[in-house]
Amino acid sequence: MEIKKIKGVVKDYAWGNSDFIPSLIGGATGGPQAELWLGTHPSGDAAVVGGGHLSELVHDDRKILGDKQWEKYNGRLPLLMKVLAIAKPLSLQCHPNKAQAEAGWKREEAQRAKGEAVSYQDDNEKCEMILALSPITALCGFRDIEVMKADLAAVVPSAFGRVLRGLATDIENLFMSLFSLPDEEKKAILDELRASLSSSSDPSWDGLFLTRSGISRECLTEYPDDIGCLFPFLMNVVHLQVGEAMPITPGTLHAYVFGNGIEVMNDSDNVLRGGLTKKRMDLPELRSIMIFKSLNVAKCTSSKDGFGRTVFSSPSPAFRLLSVSSGTYEIKDDPVAIILVTEGCARFSVKGESLMLEKGEAAVIPAGLEYTMSIRGVAYISEVPDA
């Protein structure tokens, strides 16, 4: 069988929930299981059932990518597919474009050789998209500066009059200045924010989603001394219903807050953090890659392809995300793909051979393969589009 089953790598980051990924693949530990990686990145190289790693398979067997894509991506799978299980707000973060990643990776070469802390984990850009498997709340991009000022004046009026009004000359100055405030000033702002939200009648939840006030309350619980707790009032709050997807382009400050989803991105682990974290922050480098403009968030659109699958608009030419539900699909001349079954099962028939994937199982499908796929349930496919 040319389609190979793979097993992903689970990451137990503290912000993860303890039940969603185990409900999909088994293996409950009682602790957080935040991410399931299905790709070839060195930080989480999927295993091939039967032996070896996905990176080795893709590099050594050119027909997996196809000759053209193998040459283009130097024998590497250019995408990474993940399952995210989010119980607590992630750090505020931003990702570089390709030129920024290559420059940063090269610049930090000596630091890596010495084992010192670095900001770049690889030389690749990190563009991504997330699709909701349950309702998701996220922060994405900055609001208009005047809207920010109005909300800050309402939620921390004393701090606004004392210091924030003067900092809010533009988005970049406000962002950078908040982190450089004296600790006692940060504490005063956060104390006022905490008191304001405690006395507020604004609910934390609006049906299925966290509200702006609710996000800030969650942040204050997890990061009580972090000025990033103010950022829900500076950023767009985005709610994704099940089946909706959102793109995140390089340079966009964002943070996933709550929910479960499928994420597809470039094969990169470049994350520069800007608050709501106990991890290393490199604010000068973050400043150099971030886009300090207000953003009108647009969700991904969807359409049907020639095989009847749902295709979501992608923010990158290196990957796209598709979904398939119950039915039979005749596929041919498709690019390399990773498929994950989230409900039911999927049966593949190739040249008289068959392969069954049950719920939680994943596989890599070589480029150009002609096969029949019968779905009873739901599956998601990440593909490397033809150049």
Side-chain angles (χ1 to χ4, degrees):
M1 170 58 70
E2 296 175 85
I3 300 172
K4 302 289 187 183
K5 285 188 180 183
I6 60 175
K7 288 190 175 181
V9 176
V10 175
K11 303 287 187 175
D12 58 355
Y13 306 136
W15 51 261
N17 64 50
S18 61
D19 56 355
F20 186 78
I21 289 176
S23 75
L24 189 63
I25 65 171
T29 64
Q33 295 189 34
E35 296 184 351
L36 173 68
W37 288 31
L38 295 164
T40 61
H41 195 278
S43 297
D45 195 357
V48 178
V49 174
H53 285 92
L54 184 56
S55 62
E56 299 164 339
L57 178 67
V58 169
H59 184 273
D60 296 343
D61 187 350
R62 292 176 70 107
K63 72 175 183 287
I64 301 293
L65 286 176
D67 285 337
K68 188 175 181 180
Q69 299 288 44
W70 197 99
E71 295 291 344
K72 180 176 180 180
Y73 295 111
N74 298 311
R76 292 169 54 185
L77 185 69
L79 62 78
L80 175 59
M81 187 179 192
K82 296 181 181 180
V83 176
L84 269 59
I86 309 153
K88 303 174 183 179
L90 279 69
S91 59
L92 294 165
Q93 57 191 262
C94 193
H95 310 308
N97 61 32
K98 182 62 173 173
Q100 292 163 343
E102 288 179 340
W105 176 256
K106 183 176 181 180
R107 188 169 57 248
E108 294 181 335
E109 184 175 352
Q111 292 169 252
R112 280 194 306 278
K114 296 176 184 177
E116 297 175 356
V118 294
S119 295
Y120 291 88
Q121 309 306 312
D122 51 68
D123 65 352
N124 205 8
E125 73 175 338
K126 193 168 189 281
C127 188
E128 63 192 45
M129 60 189 294
I130 187 167
L131 181 143
L133 297 178
S134 69
I136 287 178
T137 296
L139 298 172
C140 183
F142 292 108
R143 306 165 80 193
D144 179 82
I145 189 67
E146 296 303 321
V147 176
M148 291 185 200
K149 289 194 286 188
D151 264 11
L152 291 175
V155 74
V156 285
S158 177
F160 183 76
R162 185 176 66 254
V163 64
L164 298 180
R165 187 200 307 271
L167 300 180
T169 54
D170 57 54
I171 295 173
E172 182 173 1
N173 190 65
L174 177 59
F175 178 88
M176 297 304 300
S177 298
L178 282 171
F179 289 102
S180 61
L181 288 172
D183 288 344
E184 59 269 21
E185 186 61 77
K186 291 179 184 177
K187 182 179 186 303
I189 293 171
L190 292 173
D191 285 347
E192 185 179 7
L193 176 63
R194 191 174 289 106
S196 177
L197 292 174
S198 295
S199 62
S200 172
S201 60
D202 289 346
S204 288
W205 291 87
D206 180 9
L208 299 174
F209 301 103
L210 274 168
T211 64
R212 195 177 301 278
S213 294
I215 297 170
S216 191
R217 291 183 182 112
E218 289 285 320
C219 293
L220 284 166
T221 298
E222 295 300 320
Y223 306 99
D225 302 318
D226 194 314
I227 198 64
C229 296
L230 200 60
F231 276 59
F233 297 97
L234 309 185
M235 298 175 66
N236 298 302
V237 174
V238 181
H239 298 314
L240 297 178
Q241 299 277 1
V242 173
E244 291 186 321
M246 177 179 69
I248 306 286
T249 53
T252 302
L253 187 68
H254 64 285
Y256 301 133
V257 177
F258 187 83
N260 307 293
I262 295 280
E263 190 179 37
V264 185
M265 65 190 69
N266 300 101
D267 183 36
S268 174
D269 196 26
N270 283 324
V271 179
L272 286 100
R273 295 175 177 84
L276 302 181
T277 184
K278 297 175 183 177
K279 295 183 179 180
R280 178 177 181 268
M281 289 173 53
D282 183 350
L283 285 174
E285 189 63 25
L286 178 65
R287 184 180 197 172
S288 75
I289 72 165
M290 190 184 296
I291 298 171
F292 291 99
K293 295 181 180 179
S294 59
L295 175 68
N296 292 319
V297 179
K299 297 176 183 177
C300 298
T301 59
S302 63
S303 60
K304 295 289 186 179
D305 70 1
F307 303 116
R309 304 172 300 182
T310 299
V311 183
F312 296 90
S313 59
S314 174
S316 169
F319 61 78
R320 67 183 175 196
L321 177 63
L322 305 87
S323 68
V324 285
S325 54
S326 295
T328 299
Y329 304 81
E330 301 290 341
I331 309 296
K332 61 181 179 179
D333 297 326
D334 223 25
V336 62
I338 293 176
I339 183 168
L340 171 67
V341 178
T342 57
E343 297 177 28
C345 60
R347 180 182 293 276
F348 297 86
S349 299
V350 184
K351 299 176 183 177
E353 294 185 283
S354 65
L355 176 72
M356 177 71 80
L357 295 182
E358 303 288 350
K359 177 183 176 179
E361 292 188 313
V364 59
I365 305 173
L369 192 65
E370 186 171 341
Y371 62 94
T372 299
M373 176 174 61
S374 298
I375 303 288
R376 189 169 70 249
V378 179
Y380 292 91
I381 301 166
S382 56
E383 285 189 343
V384 180
D386 290 327

